[in-house]
Amino acid sequence: MNIQQRITFLFTAVCAGILGIFMLVVYLSASKNRANEFYNILEKEAITKVNLLIETQLDSFTLQTIYRNNRKILYEVETAIYDDQYNLIYHDAVDIDFVKETPEMLSEILDAKRIQFTQEDWQVIGIVHHSKGMDYLVTAAAFDGYGFSKLNNLRSTMMITFIIGLVVIFMTGKYFSKNSLLPLSKMSEEARKISASNLDLRLKEGNDEIGTMAKTFNAMLERLEKSFESQKQFVSYLAHEFRTPLAIIIGEVELSLSKPRQAEDYQQTLETVLKDSKKIAQLSESFLDLAKASYDKAEVNFQKVRLDECLIEASQKLQRNHANYRVELDLDESIDEGTITINGNSYLLSTAFRNLLENACKYSENNSCKVHITSIDKKCHISFSDQGVGISIDELDDIFKPFFRGSSRELSEGSGIGLYLVEKIIQLHEGKIFVDSEVGKGSTFTVIL
Ligand code: ADP
């Protein structure tokens, strides 16, 4: 069942329920009124007959004749009159007696002065009437044919009205649900046209709730388009980065194979091939790290890690490859165990720290980096400072972009994805990274975790 159908059925059910309850209340109240009014009529009839018989001294035969003649046409009330000794004084028609007055019933009337009840569909009342110093017990019974037929008419009218009402409510519900969901159907039709090849398409934005949804959807498209574009750009960068060292390797090998050469020539070629192969290996390792860092947080294995241990590991790994690089670790004494231990991935954190250490060492003449770890507001601040070439203001905005290499690139080899990778890893750990640099004086990268 789709939303439109669900709304229609829900609307119909709610309205039908309200209409049904309303009709039931009207019907029950009409039924109660009919019964009460008829008891009143019965009482009046009973009193009239007692008066005719006792006060006016009309003879019983005339009264009985009136009863028998009108019985069927006017639903004539059947009356019986007893004296206070329970002796029958008058009865409209003993032969067709409907209510059997027992001594118990008569004494109940005498005690209560007025009783009323139903027998089958007939309504019966019993009253005590005082006349000429005597108490008379009068019972009057009749079937309210007119009242019941009115009630039946009311019920039929209500049933028909209810069914017609139900159809009208259903149609109205269907119309309204269709109308209110129309913008949604239009929106899904527009959204269906959007695919990877035309991510620039946008949904129409209105001011209502659906318009807000379209705005959210468009914002998502915007992000998707950007990430799709950067992915595309990234892949082309990637191909380009691999192509250069591979082209050098192929060229070198082809050249040396073109004619027989001296052993030194081959050695020189092999050295070039080794250098570029290392570059490719380093590149692919960086991309592998990048792929890991780009994961969803839920997919990366997070556990309690000590940041100082990650730093030591990073510096050891760095020094294994570059024995001349110097790293000085300075751990603030005030820092406690809780601040230096975070929930993270030690491999990724070590990779990020190694990149920052390596940059600091490779872009400074003394090839050294000072690392200071301190705690501010229960957060761990790690700064990587060097006294190197520094970064110009124009380049500061770009250094975290993939494959960006600044003017200092002549100083050392690199791929331009180091800082991009570092930023991704820090973001994955919900941390922040800042840079403060002055050309010719050095740079400080601060990581807050
Ligand atoms: P790579 O070092 O491979 O070129 P990175 O992404 O690590 O790539 O760095 C991007 C650029 O930022 C570098 O090319 C360099 O110009 C600049 N840079 C990064 N760290 C430093 C630093 N400590 N001192 C000076 N320049 C730096």
Side-chain angles (χ1 to χ4, degrees), residues 196-220:
S197 55
N198 54 9
L199 270 177
D200 56 320
L201 284 184
R202 293 289 177 270
L203 303 179
K204 273 196 207 98
E205 296 176 3
N207 290 323
D208 52 8
E209 290 84 347
I210 299 201
T212 316
M213 209 166 110
K215 269 182 207 153
T216 317
F217 192 80
N218 282 347
M220 186 188 81

Side-chain angles (χ1 to χ4, degrees), residues 359-360 362-363 386 389-391 399 404-408 414-420 443 445:
N359 279 353
K362 78 182 180 185
Y363 294 116
D386 64 66
V389 290
I391 307 162
I399 55 171
F404 175 82
R405 300 212 68 211
S407 49
S408 51
S415 59
I417 64 162
L419 285 181
Y420 177 62
S443 319
F445 284 81

Side-chain angles (χ1 to χ4, degrees), residues 156-195:
S156 316
T157 313
M158 277 180 164
M159 293 288 260
I160 294 166
T161 317
F162 184 73
I163 292 165
I164 295 173
L166 216 64
V167 175
V168 173
I169 289 167
F170 180 77
M171 301 303 281
T172 320
K174 202 172 166 177
Y175 173 77
F176 279 127
S177 62
K178 195 177 168 189
N179 241 27
S180 48
L181 292 176
L182 204 65
L184 213 64
S185 325
K186 275 190 192 156
M187 197 169 110
S188 75
E189 205 146 289
E190 280 176 39
R192 223 171 287 146
K193 289 182 201 149
I194 302 169
S195 67

Side-chain angles (χ1 to χ4, degrees), residues 31-81:
S31 164
K32 201 168 174 224
N33 281 347
R34 182 212 59 76
N36 287 341
E37 275 171 23
F38 198 64
Y39 279 125
N40 288 341
I41 291 171
L42 283 183
E43 189 176 346
K44 279 180 197 147
E45 280 277 328
I47 294 168
T48 311
K49 274 203 180 151
V50 185
N51 282 338
L52 283 173
L53 202 79
I54 311 292
E55 311 272 344
T56 325
Q57 302 273 307
L58 196 74
D59 64 295
S60 307
F61 181 73
T62 316
L63 266 181
Q64 282 166 342
T65 314
I66 294 170
Y67 172 74
R68 283 179 191 279
N69 291 343
N70 290 332
R71 200 175 150 245
K72 285 270 151 58
I73 319 151
L74 294 174
Y75 303 110
E76 183 63 87
V77 180
E78 184 196 280
T79 315
I81 305 170

